Each structure stands twice: as structure tokens, then as C-alpha cells.
Amino acid sequence: MSVRMTNAGPLGWVTDKEGGYRYQATHPESGRPWPDIPDSLLNLWAKLADYPHPPEACLINYYGGAAKMGLHQDRDEEDFAAPVISISLGDTAIFRIGATTRKGPTRKLELRSGDVIVLEGADRLAYHGIDRVLPETSELLEEGGRFNLTLRRVTKPN
Ligand code: MD6
Ligand code: FE
């Protein structure tokens, strides 16, 4: 993966050679808890998510230069009734979204700075990825590139 990641919230999505992909409460190198999810993002979730519990993870991805993300499903969460809400900031990305099988047809969408998408219902498990980021398409970040924030519910509430 060519994307740089960090997290906010009680749980963060991490990977390393030993443990593979997982959610955990602390940064794998520093051992410290993740910072809180900002209220503005909790409010956005409350407004857009048709789901009665708050998000637990905000995955923060940074795409510099030639970074991209291969087609994948987001399925490490326990409750697929909860949506994944994505916020794009900075340079425009070419987002590809398909069906719930890897082989299904896909279509492309341009995600511009400030765009918010909600993956819910049948789309919650749709394959998706980032083909590329278009350089110098936004003036938001002095250093260029793109941030994508995804809000997720990780555990199933009782
Ligand atoms: C990105 N987004 O926009 C990558 N996942 O950089 C995702 O992988 C994603 O946009 C789940 C739901 C919405 C997304
Ligand atoms: Fe994803």
C-alpha cells in the first residue's frame, strides 16, 4: 500500500508484519491511544448515518505523489448495518466502485475536496479503490496530495 495512515477514535485500523490488519486502541509503535474524533466529524456522522450509535474509528489516509489504493472491501467491522462515511480533502481522486464481487463491473467517480460519500445498504460491501490522485487540483494543502477520512463503527452494540 502506498498510502500513509493514522487514526482518531477509540479504535484505529492498523497493520504490521506480525499481526496483519486489525482494529486496536493504541498506536502500534508508540503504544499511545489515538486522539479523539473531532466533534465536527461526530456531528456529520449523526446527521448522515442511518444508524443509532457513534463511530469508533476515523481512519486517516494520506495520498502523496503516486499513491493509490487497490480494489478492496471494508469488512473488518462487526456490524455491516453501520455505514462507512468518507470525507475527501485536497487533490481530486479517481474513485472506482463496483459490485460485492471482485469481478463485477465498476464505475469511476471523481472525489473532490469536500466531497462526502456514504457506503451503506447494498453498497456497504461493494469493492472500491483509488485509481489515482490528480496533482494540483486543489489549493487546500500547501504540500499537495489528498487526505481521506473514513468514519466507521467497529463493534456491534448490544
Ligand atoms: C479513499 N476510500 O477514498 C479510499 N472505504 O481514499 C475507501 O477505501 C472507502 O471511500 C469505505 C467507504 C468509503 C471509502
Ligand atoms: Fe475502503
Side-chain angles (χ1 to χ4, degrees):
M1 222 181 315
S2 49
V3 173
R4 298 170 68 184
M5 339 175 198
T6 189
N7 294 275
L11 291 171
W13 195 71
V14 301
T15 183
D16 56 30
K17 276 189 194 130
E18 294 76 41
Y21 295 109
R22 63 194 183 274
Y23 282 101
Q24 67 175 44
T26 53
H27 190 290
E29 286 163 20
S30 70
R32 288 162 51 192
W34 309 103
D36 290 341
I37 299 175
D39 283 343
S40 55
L41 295 177
L42 295 176
N43 292 339
L44 184 76
W45 174 278
K47 214 165 160 179
L48 295 183
D50 185 12
Y51 188 77
H53 305 280
E56 296 170 300
C58 177
L59 172 63
I60 302 165
N61 285 331
Y62 177 73
Y63 298 71
K68 57 191 170 156
M69 186 176 293
L71 270 192
H72 67 276
Q73 284 175 304
D74 285 60
R75 53 179 317 145
D76 292 333
E77 301 77 29
E78 291 175 4
D79 192 1
F80 299 138
V84 178
I85 295 186
S86 134
I87 301 115
S88 294
L89 296 169
D91 286 338
T92 299
I94 309 295
F95 180 74
R96 185 177 288 278
I97 182 158
T100 52
T101 58
R102 187 174 280 284
K103 286 184 177 163
T106 62
R107 64 198 170 94
K108 291 193 284 186
L109 260 177
E110 282 195 10
L111 296 183
R112 298 189 184 83
S113 192
D115 283 351
V116 175
I117 59 175
V118 181
L119 284 198
E120 63 184 350
D123 293 327
R124 174 64 180 76
L125 290 172
Y127 276 87
H128 59 277
I130 296 290
D131 286 1
R132 60 199 187 97
V133 173
L134 309 178
E136 290 176 32
T137 44
S138 164
E139 292 184 352
L140 184 72
L141 305 171
E142 215 169 295
E143 68 274 33
R146 169 177 183 263
F147 281 99
N148 179 253
L149 314 180
T150 46
L151 298 169
R152 299 129 185 278
R153 178 77 197 184
V154 177
T155 65
K156 196 166 194 151
N158 312 310

